[in-house]
């Protein structure tokens, strides 16, 4: 009986907290920022669950604390572990994350599980339209990762660099291409854009080119720099740009249609520290936060931050593909490129 009563009290508290948080998250009055800062200082800290590196989390936390005097507690985990932990804590009524920042298809899981809440931030006006999901504002993209061709400039002549996906099928590339082993969503998005029948026919021809399959985008980019891989079909452009700036003989080029994946940010529906949660989220989406992403060579979602990493037409992969059609595309990808082995992700 006591256990049932405790659960009922926890549910009632959560509903009341969610209603109060919703009012705060959507507040647009003239004293909005003053209310957020004052409330966040009283709360003292904000807890972030994110896939960003520990190093980036520390640097971001230092910048946030310097500006507002509020501590950032960063728990770093894979996208899958963030979802698992959030669901477990929600069931237990545990005081967990105030803010989530991870891949958009994992944020979509949190959205569907009703762990997020709509929110407003003035920075929405400066974000790429691709950063905003359709139909709600319970998460928005904070940064992007774009799929581009990455190539070794000593091994690939300027005139040979493919200009279209069809160019990848030229006999000169037989056995000289590489693909990252987990890029199923890129494959699904491109296939659907081409038309499924035509797209699958294209990828059968691409598989016949005997591309090398590599695990890890950073490792694959480094192998392009060392000359082991002449051309990486699914490079992340920020990885290639980092190596290029360091003097490696590499460059990159987007092919149309160019696709990207989003890392999105959202606020916990039942946050115990809602002022700090919204203040931090707004900081990350503001020019200060977006300049931080630029400084660590990520692709900011804000169009107000100047960067060469998004200056081309692009589309963001629909996160629903992973949730609603994931098994289908995993199976097709495995048969084409992995010899029937399962897709092994380390998110």
């Amino acid at each position: 009986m006591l256990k049932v009563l405790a659960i009922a009290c926890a549910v009632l508290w959560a509903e009341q907290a969610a209603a109060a948080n919703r009012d705060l998250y959507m507040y647009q009055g003239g004293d909005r920022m003053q209310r957020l800062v004052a409330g966040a200082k009283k709360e003292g800290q904000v807890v972030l669950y994110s896939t960003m590196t520990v190093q980036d989390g520390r640097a971001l936390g230092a910048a946030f604390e310097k500006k507002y005097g509020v501590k950032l507690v960063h728990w770093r985990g894979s996208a899958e572990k963030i979802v698992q932990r959030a669901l477990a804590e929600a069931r237990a009524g545990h005081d967990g994350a105030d803010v989530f920042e991870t891949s958009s298809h994992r944020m979509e899981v949190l959205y569907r599980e009703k762990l997020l809440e709509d929110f407003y931030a003035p920075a929405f006006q400066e974000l790429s339209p691709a950063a905003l999901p359709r139909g709600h504002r319970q998460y928005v993209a904070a940064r992007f990762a774009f799929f581009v061709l990455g190539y070794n400039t000593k091994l690939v002549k300027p005139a040979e660099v493919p200009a279209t996906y069809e160019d990848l099928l030229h006999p000169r590339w037989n056995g000289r291409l590489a693909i990252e082993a987990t890029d199923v969503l890129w494959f699904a998005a491109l296939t659907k854009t081409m038309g499924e029948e035509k797209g699958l026919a294209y990828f059968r021809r691409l598989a016949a080119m005997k591309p090398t399959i590599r695990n890890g985008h950073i490792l694959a980019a480094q192998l392009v720099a060392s000359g082991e891989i002449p051309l990486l079909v699914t490079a992340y452009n920020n990885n290639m740009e980092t190596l290029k700036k360091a003097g490696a003989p590499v460059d990159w080029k987007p092919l149309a249609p160019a696709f990207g994946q989003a890392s999105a940010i959202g606020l916990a529906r039942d946050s115990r520290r809602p002022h700090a949660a919204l203040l931090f989220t707004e900081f990350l989406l503001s020019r200060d936060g977006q300049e931080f992403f630029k400084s660590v060579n990520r692709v900011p979602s804000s169009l107000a931050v100047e960067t060469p990493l998004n200056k081309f037409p692009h589309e963001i992969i629909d996160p629903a593909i992973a949730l609603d059609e994931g098994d289908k595309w995993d199976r097709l990808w495995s048969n084409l490129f992995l010899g029937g082995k399962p897709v092994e992700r380390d998110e």
Side-chain angles (χ1 to χ4, degrees):
M1 182 67 180
L2 290 176
K3 185 176 180 180
V4 173
L5 182 60
I7 292 174
C9 289
V11 170
L12 179 61
W13 180 91
E15 290 176 351
Q16 292 174 340
N21 287 355
R22 187 181 308 114
D23 290 342
L24 175 65
Y25 292 164
M26 296 302 296
Y27 184 67
Q28 299 181 38
D31 62 341
R32 178 178 179 277
M33 183 54 68
Q34 293 92 324
R35 286 182 61 179
L36 289 184
V37 174
K41 286 181 179 294
K42 289 180 181 178
E43 292 160 355
Q45 67 178 31
V46 57
V47 178
L48 168 70
Y49 290 0
S50 172
T51 51
M52 75 174 67
T53 66
V54 172
Q55 181 180 0
D56 286 354
R58 286 173 180 165
L60 183 62
F64 179 66
E65 187 169 358
K66 181 179 179 180
K67 184 166 186 176
Y68 293 114
V70 179
K71 182 180 180 182
L72 174 68
V73 178
H74 174 213
W75 184 81
R76 198 268 178 188
S78 70
E80 182 63 28
K81 287 182 179 178
I82 286 173
V83 170
Q84 292 172 352
R85 182 165 177 165
L87 291 173
E89 290 175 339
R91 286 192 294 267
H94 182 73
D95 181 8
D98 303 303
V99 181
F100 301 97
E101 197 261 0
T102 187
S103 60
S104 59
H105 64 283
R106 296 304 181 193
M107 293 297 290
E108 179 70 14
V109 174
L110 299 180
Y111 165 66
R112 294 184 184 190
E113 292 290 339
K114 302 187 185 305
L115 299 187
L116 305 177
E117 184 54 80
D118 283 302
F119 70 99
Y120 163 81
F124 286 174
Q125 301 174 30
E126 298 182 341
L127 300 183
S128 165
L132 304 171
R134 293 188 294 271
H136 70 83
R137 290 293 177 270
Q138 294 199 359
Y139 63 80
V140 300
R143 52 192 169 111
F144 297 132
F146 288 112
F147 294 101
V148 299
L149 296 183
Y151 59 94
N152 185 294
T153 55
K154 293 182 178 179
L155 300 176
V156 179
K157 299 175 183 178
E160 294 178 342
V161 179
T164 67
Y165 287 107
E166 193 71 22
D167 290 346
L168 294 171
L169 305 178
H170 191 285
R172 73 164 61 95
W173 301 118
N174 193 53
R176 300 177 68 204
L177 303 174
I179 296 175
E180 204 281 329
T182 64
D183 286 332
V184 180
L185 294 183
W186 165 80
F187 157 66
L190 183 55
T191 300
K192 289 165 76 76
T193 297
M194 290 179 170
E196 190 165 324
E197 184 177 347
K198 181 179 178 181
L200 289 175
Y202 169 81
F203 275 101
R204 292 188 193 100
R205 295 167 66 196
L206 185 63
M209 301 294 291
K210 297 180 171 57
T212 301
I213 307 301
R214 293 290 182 177
N215 286 289
H217 288 93
I218 293 177
L219 173 61
Q222 291 169 340
L223 293 176
V224 174
S226 70
E228 186 170 335
I229 295 175
L231 197 153
L232 178 59
V233 178
T234 57
Y236 283 161
N237 65 341
N238 64 298
N239 290 339
M240 301 310 303
E241 187 70 13
T242 297
L243 290 166
K244 181 179 176 181
K245 287 181 177 179
V250 301
D251 209 340
W252 58 273
K253 179 179 182 177
L255 297 183
F259 287 98
Q261 296 186 120
S263 285
I265 190 167
L267 287 85
R269 180 174 181 265
D270 300 333
S271 168
R272 265 76 160 178
R273 294 163 289 273
H275 297 83
L278 183 54
L279 185 66
F280 174 76
T281 300
E282 184 160 315
F283 174 75
L284 200 64
L285 296 174
S286 72
R287 295 190 189 187
D288 285 345
Q290 294 290 291
E291 286 286 355
F292 167 80
F293 280 138
K294 177 183 175 181
S295 73
V296 294
N297 218 40
R298 308 295 182 186
V299 187
S301 60
S302 174
L303 298 179
V305 175
E306 183 63 28
T307 173
L309 295 175
N310 61 6
K311 292 295 186 290
F312 50 86
H314 58 261
E315 301 176 40
I316 301 303
I317 298 171
D318 184 350
I321 292 176
L323 302 184
D324 301 331
E325 307 174 36
D327 290 345
K328 167 188 172 180
W329 294 107
D330 276 3
R331 183 174 63 255
L332 290 168
W333 176 264
S334 174
N335 291 336
L336 282 168
F337 296 110
L338 306 181
K341 296 179 180 179
V343 181
E344 297 183 2
R345 296 179 176 87
D346 181 22
E347 294 183 287

